[in-house]
Coordinates of all heavy atoms in Angstrom, one line a residue:
M1 N 74.4 32.6 -1.9 CA 74.8 33.9 -1.4 C 75.1 34.9 -2.5 O 75.9 34.6 -3.4 CB 76.0 33.7 -0.4 CG 76.7 35.0 -0.1 SD 78.2 35.0 1.0 CE 78.4 33.3 1.5
Q45 N 82.4 39.1 -11.3 CA 81.0 38.9 -11.7 C 80.1 38.9 -10.6 O 79.4 37.9 -10.3 CB 80.9 37.5 -12.6 CG 81.7 37.7 -13.9 CD 81.5 36.4 -14.7 OE1 80.6 35.7 -14.6 NE2 82.2 36.5 -15.9
D83 N 74.5 62.5 -3.8 CA 74.3 63.6 -2.8 C 72.9 64.2 -2.8 O 72.2 64.1 -3.9 CB 75.4 64.6 -3.1 CG 76.8 64.2 -2.9 OD1 77.0 63.4 -2.0 OD2 77.6 64.6 -3.7
F108 N 72.1 57.7 4.1 CA 71.0 56.9 4.1 C 71.0 55.9 5.3 O 72.1 55.6 5.9 CB 70.9 56.1 2.8 CG 72.2 55.5 2.4 CD1 72.5 54.2 2.8 CD2 73.0 56.1 1.5 CE1 73.7 53.6 2.5 CE2 74.2 55.6 1.1 CZ 74.5 54.3 1.6
K116 N 66.8 48.2 -0.9 CA 67.0 48.4 -2.3 C 67.9 47.3 -2.9 O 67.7 46.9 -4.0 CB 67.8 49.8 -2.5 CG 67.1 51.0 -2.0 CD 66.1 51.6 -3.0 CE 65.6 52.9 -2.5 NZ 64.7 53.5 -3.6
F130 N 62.5 36.9 10.2 CA 63.4 37.9 10.9 C 62.5 39.0 11.6 O 63.2 39.4 12.6 CB 64.2 38.6 9.8 CG 65.3 37.7 9.2 CD1 65.3 37.5 7.8 CD2 66.2 37.0 9.9 CE1 66.3 36.7 7.2 CE2 67.1 36.2 9.3 CZ 67.2 36.0 8.1
E135 N 64.4 43.0 19.6 CA 65.4 44.1 19.6 C 66.2 43.9 20.9 O 65.7 43.5 21.9 CB 64.7 45.5 19.5 CG 64.0 45.7 18.2 CD 65.1 45.9 17.1 OE1 66.1 46.6 17.3 OE2 64.8 45.4 15.9
L152 N 76.8 54.9 8.6 CA 76.1 55.2 7.4 C 75.2 56.5 7.5 O 75.1 57.3 6.5 CB 75.2 54.1 6.9 CG 75.9 52.9 6.3 CD1 74.8 51.7 6.0 CD2 76.7 53.3 5.0

Side-chain angles (χ1 to χ4, degrees):
M1 168 181 352
Q45 297 187 4
D83 291 323
F108 50 84
K116 299 274 187 176
F130 290 123
E135 289 293 317
L152 285 175

